Amino acid sequence: QLETLEQEEQECLELTPHPTEKTTHIVSHEHGMTVLETLQEGEAEPQCQSFSYSRAKLQGVLLEGASLLLLRVLARRQTMPLDLVFPAINSEGHLCSSSY
């Protein structure tokens, strides 16, 4: 029973003259989960997007941190169930499927 309460990701690309930084903040709350993405390109105004998902849509969702933990557990047990598929959130903040 894995549950992600909060997750923060930061990506930085140092390209001259316009470095780009992308942050993704995912927070679980009583109604579901909210994903906030911020993209900062050089000196331009940051661009923000927000996505919210209900608990019903997130049933069984596996975020990146939990996915890494699950992979370690499976590797330690030296077993991999067939057709292991979880709902996930992709790099754009949208729901997708993740299979192993």
Side-chain angles (χ1 to χ4, degrees), residues 16-86:
T16 308
H18 300 290
T20 301
E21 186 174 321
K22 178 182 175 185
T23 59
T24 305
H25 188 84
I26 301 172
V27 179
S28 181
H29 46 78
E30 92 179 70
H31 302 294
M33 190 170 281
T34 300
V35 178
L36 176 63
E37 287 187 348
T38 305
L39 182 64
Q40 174 79 46
E41 295 185 79
E43 299 296 320
E45 276 297 309
Q47 299 173 352
C48 296
Q49 296 185 80
S50 180
F51 307 95
S52 291
Y53 301 103
S54 68
R55 287 235 177 247
K57 283 189 174 184
L58 294 171
Q59 180 92 20
V61 74
L62 192 64
L63 298 180
E64 186 176 5
S67 176
L68 293 173
L69 180 61
L70 178 62
L71 287 175
R72 284 185 172 187
V73 168
L74 292 173
R76 181 125 176 125
R77 290 184 178 177
Q78 297 182 347
T79 183
M80 180 65 78
L82 297 176
D83 301 325
L84 190 57
V85 178
F86 292 98

